[in-house]
Amino acid sequence: MYTNLRTVLKTADKLNMAVGAFNTHSLEMLPAIIGAAKEEGTPVIIQTSVGTAKYVGHGNLAAVCKSMSEQAGIDVVLHLDHAKEYEDIKEAIDAGYSSVMFDGSSLPFKENILKTRQIIEYAKKFNVSVEAELGIVGGTEDGVAADASEVRYTDPKEAVEFVNQTGIDALAVAIGTNHGQYKSKTNINFERLKEIKEAVDIPLVIHGGTGVKDEDVRKVIDLGIRKFNVGTELLVTWTKKSKELFGETPENASLRNNVVPCIDAVNEVVRRKIQLFKNIDD
Ligand code: 13P
């Protein structure tokens, strides 16, 4: 079923697992991601930046996700990642996105609350879920880099006030991960995550999933992470594979011969991630 975050994160909570939220940069990546979720028998969250949504077409992404969720027989959420403008969020909701993230993390606290509330008011009318962020995650997101000096961990007391005053469906936390971190891995502040989890009773989201060590995945899920964002690793896998293939093939070769192996390579990465996110004791 094509659904929103509330549905899939509720299930994840019952099963003590996280749902993978995978950033796509094109329609071609969707079979890789949704196919992997079908093979693993889990729901999946497809997320796009505002930039990707604009160039692929919001409506196209929504239509393909809807049809693929029906064909695969699994829950699929289409989520707008890190939107900072009301108009961008409205455009996505109007075109059929089932979930959005309003990223007011760089705004003063009260302004973040007020703007998040505005988004919720609009999203509610369409049964669209809303994620918001408190604290500042480092690294590079859609080409925009956050300076190391800007990084700020989520404050548990602020988290309580923020959740109570906004009514968001999921909270993105800054606990030491960085967007775009591919070559090295992150040192997570588990103590801070535990404090946040004890303070608020809603699903928590980890950003910068590519940089999280495999051995840390279960630990953060046990501490309340229910949505696990992974982007860079998929992008790098696709790009490496396509460079290799396009470098070797003649100009008039079938495009399919070069694209299908990229889909297969990304599918393998997504499956492995989902296996880590599932509660293997179940
Ligand atoms: P990575 O690209 O580091 O995996 O992070 C993805 C993300 O958090 C998207 O919001």
Side-chain angles (χ1 to χ4, degrees):
M1 196 170 81
Y2 183 68
T3 186
N4 64 26
L5 275 191
R6 277 189 291 279
T7 324
V8 298
L9 299 188
K10 203 186 277 172
T11 309
D13 207 38
K14 275 194 203 135
L15 300 174
N16 189 29
M17 62 173 276
V19 181
F22 300 99
N23 287 75
T24 188
H25 295 256
S26 65
L27 287 176
E28 283 75 14
M29 250 197 212
L30 294 179
I33 302 170
I34 296 175
K38 179 186 172 169
E39 283 145 20
E40 292 301 322
T42 63
V44 72
I45 300 156
I46 300 292
Q47 45 188 28
T48 76
S49 64
V50 171
T52 296
K54 283 188 193 294
Y55 101 83
V56 178
H58 299 77
N60 296 331
L61 282 153
V64 176
C65 283
K66 273 179 202 162
S67 122
M68 288 189 76
S69 70
E70 278 160 27
Q71 284 172 46
I74 57 164
D75 283 347
V76 175
V77 176
L78 176 61
H79 178 83
L80 188 69
D81 195 26
H82 287 285
K84 292 180 192 285
E85 305 295 333
Y86 181 87
E87 281 309 315
D88 288 332
I89 288 184
K90 186 176 177 302
E91 192 176 1
I93 294 176
D94 292 350
Y97 271 56
S98 60
S99 186
V100 294
M101 173 191 190
F102 172 63
D103 181 359
S105 58
S106 58
L107 299 172
F109 183 61
K110 295 283 175 205
E111 199 178 335
N112 191 1
I113 291 179
L114 288 177
K115 291 212 161 138
T116 304
R117 270 199 200 152
Q118 252 188 343
I119 304 292
I120 293 205
E121 213 170 291
Y122 191 73
K124 245 190 197 162
K125 294 185 206 158
F126 302 90
N127 195 26
V128 166
S129 49
V130 179
E131 171 188 336
E133 178 173 316
L134 213 50
I136 297 178
V137 176
T140 306
E141 179 68 17
D142 212 21
V144 182
D147 192 78
S149 62
E150 291 173 50
V151 172
R152 192 164 47 77
Y153 287 173
T154 305
D155 176 335
K157 282 201 195 90
E158 279 191 356
V160 173
E161 191 180 343
F162 190 80
V163 169
N164 287 343
Q165 295 215 16
T166 57
I168 50 169
D169 299 297
L171 177 69
V173 292
I175 49 168
T177 56
N178 295 304
H179 287 117
Q181 190 164 2
Y182 184 68
K183 292 193 170 143
S184 61
K185 294 290 166 185
T186 305
N187 286 322
I188 292 177
N189 187 332
F190 296 105
E191 197 45 46
R192 179 58 65 101
L193 178 57
K194 188 163 174 263
E195 287 164 15
I196 301 166
K197 166 72 183 155
E198 280 165 4
V200 297
D201 193 21
I202 62 166
L204 303 178
V205 182
I206 201 161
H207 281 247
T210 296
V212 177
K213 299 171 201 146
D214 283 1
E215 64 265 33
D216 288 347
V217 170
R218 188 40 38 200
K219 284 194 213 164
V220 298
I221 293 173
D222 284 341
L223 290 171
I225 293 295
R226 295 288 170 253
K227 175 174 178 274
F228 210 113
N229 288 10
V230 182
T232 305
E233 196 167 340
L234 275 50
L235 182 62
V236 172
T237 301
W238 185 287
T239 306
K240 272 191 181 162
K241 193 74 191 168
S242 59
K243 267 189 180 167
E244 184 190 308
L245 293 160
F246 279 93
E248 286 168 2
T249 47
E251 286 164 10
N252 66 347
S254 161
L255 187 57
R256 190 176 61 238
N257 292 344
N258 288 338
V259 172
V260 172
C262 297
I263 293 176
D264 292 343
V266 170
N267 173 279
E268 219 171 282
V269 173
V270 174
R271 276 193 75 166
R272 213 183 62 77
K273 291 283 172 197
I274 292 177
Q275 285 161 7
L276 286 171
F277 301 157
K278 283 204 276 194
N279 190 345
I280 33 180
D281 296 336
D282 281 348

